[in-house]
Amino acid sequence: TNPYKLGSPPDFGTLYSGRALEFDGVTDYVDCGDINAIDGASALTMSCWVKLDSTSGAEPILSKYTDSSNRVHLFMNSNVMYLTTSTSGDKQGYFAYTSTDWNYIVMVFDGSGSANADRLKGYMNGEEQTLSFTGTIPATLPDLGASTFMIGGQGGAYYDGEISNVQLWDKAWSLSDVQYAY
């Protein structure tokens, strides 16, 4: 039997007593400073709980960004959840996302994989999502220099909703890691 048997997502408001950062979609964000471990990384896991107010706009959730051609981010845009690694054009994986409920989102980058589906994986509530890809996911993330890691903001775009329990790991989580964290 699977020790990580999945059921319905927990009632986040009850589970965490409503403790989350709320973003207004206009100017709110958290600047976490420069996280150097992201630059040139060959493995990265980003996870968080999200509750979007709407799924129709451009919503930066987690981002290290220098400009539209150089970024690593978890981003919601018009009903699609993206993880983008860019240098001279987007290289991204994405899946449909239309929920305004609390969901646990995990994107796993593993540059040691041989194909896009091995290098980038997306999960929602402990279940792997089928990703569509644009470009070839690189073996390493771009070096974004002294740019800062942001929660809820990126280059003039801002998140509208709540975010909680952000985690970054310098390793590629396995399915069992994702399910355990969920």
Side-chain angles (χ1 to χ4, degrees):
T1 62
N2 181 351
Y4 308 114
K5 185 173 172 121
L6 302 177
S8 298
D11 178 347
F12 191 88
T14 301
L15 186 65
Y16 292 101
S17 303
R19 294 184 185 114
L21 295 175
E22 187 168 344
F23 299 85
D24 65 8
V26 179
T27 58
D28 294 345
Y29 65 92
V30 176
D31 185 330
C32 300
D34 183 10
I35 300 177
N36 294 324
I38 296 172
D39 297 333
S42 59
L44 177 70
T45 298
M46 298 192 303
S47 69
C48 60
W49 282 91
V50 297
K51 184 178 188 308
L52 291 157
D53 284 349
S54 168
T55 59
S56 62
E59 307 280 347
I61 300 167
L62 307 174
S63 182
K64 185 164 183 185
Y65 170 94
T66 56
D67 58 48
S68 62
S69 295
N70 295 287
R71 60 191 175 197
V72 173
H73 67 199
L74 178 59
F75 197 88
M76 174 69 203
N77 191 9
S78 299
N79 301 328
V80 180
M81 186 72 69
Y82 289 91
L83 178 71
T84 301
T85 66
S86 299
T87 302
S88 304
D90 286 341
K91 290 125 177 111
Q92 59 196 8
Y94 52 94
F95 62 91
Y97 186 90
T98 58
S99 178
T100 55
D101 294 328
W102 277 109
N103 289 288
Y104 183 60
I105 304 298
V106 179
M107 294 302 262
V108 178
F109 168 72
D110 182 355
S112 69
S114 60
N116 281 347
D118 301 321
R119 289 187 176 174
L120 190 61
K121 296 184 183 298
Y123 301 87
M124 184 169 71
N125 300 328
E127 295 183 10
E128 186 170 356
Q129 304 298 297
T130 301
L131 298 182
S132 297
F133 294 95
T134 301
T136 301
I137 305 301
T140 59
L141 297 175
D143 185 341
L144 300 170
S147 61
T148 61
F149 181 82
M150 312 256 283
I151 300 171
Q154 172 198 284
Y158 301 96
Y159 182 82
D160 188 12
E162 297 173 77
I163 301 173
S164 188
N165 295 53
V166 172
Q167 294 186 21
L168 299 175
W169 295 84
D170 62 354
K171 71 176 223 163
W173 278 5
S174 66
L175 173 60
S176 61
D177 292 331
V178 170
Q179 291 177 336
Y180 181 79
Y182 171 68

